Amino acid sequence: MLPSALPDLPDLAHTRTSPVQWLATATAMAGVVALAGFLTPGPATASQPGRKPATVAAPDTAAAVFPLKCGGVGSVVTKKATGDLDGDGRPETVAVVRCDAGMGTPPSGVYVVTQPLTEGGAPRVVATLVAPGSEQTVGALAVHDGAVTATLLGYSSPEVPRWKPDVRQKAKWRWQGGKFVRSVPSRAQARAV
């Protein structure tokens, strides 16, 4: 500290800092920082007009009723994938469902399930991509970039045992013009396994 330039002025006591003054300053600064934390605005929630927020949960397949006739054995969801298929900002669930048979390989159905627009409603099936009557099972299922892809396993003739499919085919569906359109594979893509 520099001595006072004027000889008749005494050294002032408050020009020297003490630990109590530093503690008081630090406490005041902490209070300002804490107050600023409470006064900051919330996170931005930009959305496009007409779109619902992406925080909507995917439909629960356990609450959906599938158009599958299984008699008294009931049905089981063997695979599922979720994603926004129609571009509305709400996810759909694609489910592979078959009868819950104790033996054999019953055919599968592939269904698109959507959440109801009103609160409290049950998820509902809005499309059938593969009907169980096609006598196919599903080896793989995925949803990427708004498209559903699946590996379909089938049979080349009625003589092929149902536990050993001998035809494998890739399939892809995309929402176009208000419906799901399947990409038709060439004959070369459907091959014996």
Side-chain angles (χ1 to χ4, degrees):
M1 181 163 88
L2 296 173
S4 178
L6 300 172
D8 59 345
L9 294 176
D11 273 341
L12 300 174
H14 69 277
T15 58
R16 289 186 219 114
T17 57
S18 69
V20 172
Q21 290 172 321
W22 281 111
L23 183 60
T25 301
T27 303
M29 289 301 293
V32 169
V33 169
L35 183 61
F38 286 116
L39 297 178
T40 58
T45 56
S47 64
Q48 294 180 0
R51 290 204 170 210
K52 301 234 183 259
T55 58
V56 175
D60 180 14
T61 57
V65 176
F66 295 98
L68 194 62
K69 296 178 182 169
C70 296
V73 297
S75 63
V76 63
V77 175
T78 60
K79 293 176 178 41
K80 60 184 173 179
T82 61
D84 183 7
L85 300 175
D86 57 4
D88 68 351
R90 298 167 51 97
E92 287 78 31
T93 299
V94 181
V96 177
V97 185
R98 65 171 175 79
C99 292
D100 194 11
M103 297 171 46
T105 308
S108 300
V110 180
Y111 305 100
V112 178
V113 181
T114 188
Q115 211 52 291
L117 294 176
T118 59
E119 191 172 327
R124 60 189 178 94
V125 175
V126 294
T128 300
L129 303 181
V130 176
S134 69
E135 296 292 320
Q136 293 178 315
T137 58
V138 180
L141 177 73
V143 172
H144 294 291
D145 299 324
V148 179
T149 57
T151 302
L152 304 177
L153 305 174
Y155 310 94
S156 59
S157 73
E159 289 77 34
V160 176
R162 293 301 175 235
W163 55 269
K164 190 177 181 182
D166 65 340
V167 175
R168 177 184 302 252
Q169 184 179 37
K170 299 280 186 182
K172 184 176 188 176
W173 295 267
R174 189 171 292 281
W175 182 256
Q176 294 174 342
K179 62 183 177 180
F180 285 97
V181 177
R182 180 176 174 178
S183 302
V184 179
S186 68
R187 286 205 177 275
Q189 289 177 315
R191 65 181 196 283
V193 288

